[in-house]
Amino acid sequence: KSWSHDKLCTTKLQDLMDILGLPDALEGTVEMKQNAICKFFPDPESVVKRSSEVDSLMLQSFWDTVKEIANKLKERGLDFVCSAKIQELLDILGVDDRLVGTVKFVQ
């Protein structure tokens, strides 16, 4: 059978599997082929560029957070910061437990 590009790109994956009579084990292959034909994924070069920009922003944000935490902890004094438990520092800083690694890094 010959399908139009529009029909192929608007048909749900499970419907394609049923129409083609393929086993579920090949679902990933059919999905990958449909994505490639229909260009559901953006140009790889633009993804790499965007990813690099996001990585740069995330890294800058991380270092900004580290500096902010370090400045707040300096006010408490070196002896206190070095002997405090991480949970205590998190509570003092009023930050989420997701920053435990960052607070450990600063400590």
Side-chain angles (χ1 to χ4, degrees), residues 71-87:
N71 288 333
K72 287 180 180 178
L73 292 180
K74 279 182 189 177
E75 296 171 5
R76 298 286 179 161
L78 190 61
D79 289 338
F80 171 76
V81 172
C82 293
S83 63
K85 295 185 185 302
I86 293 298
Q87 189 58 53

Side-chain angles (χ1 to χ4, degrees), residues 6-51:
D6 288 341
K7 184 172 182 178
L8 173 66
C9 296
T10 58
T11 302
K12 293 181 182 176
L13 178 60
Q14 191 54 55
D15 293 340
L16 276 178
M17 296 297 293
D18 294 342
I19 291 166
L20 296 170
L22 296 172
D24 288 343
L26 293 176
E27 187 173 301
T29 304
V30 173
E31 181 180 28
M32 186 170 58
K33 195 64 175 170
Q34 183 186 32
N35 289 340
I37 292 169
C38 300
K39 300 193 184 325
F40 288 154
F41 297 120
D43 173 36
E45 288 180 26
S46 69
V47 171
V48 169
K49 182 180 179 211
R50 198 169 325 129
S51 177

Side-chain angles (χ1 to χ4, degrees), residues 82-94:
C82 293
S83 63
K85 295 185 185 302
I86 293 298
Q87 189 58 53
E88 186 178 7
L89 295 177
L90 290 170
D91 293 342
I92 289 169
L93 293 166

Side-chain angles (χ1 to χ4, degrees), residues 90 95-102:
L90 290 170
V95 297
D96 193 278
D97 287 348
R98 290 178 291 179
L99 289 177
V100 70
T102 306

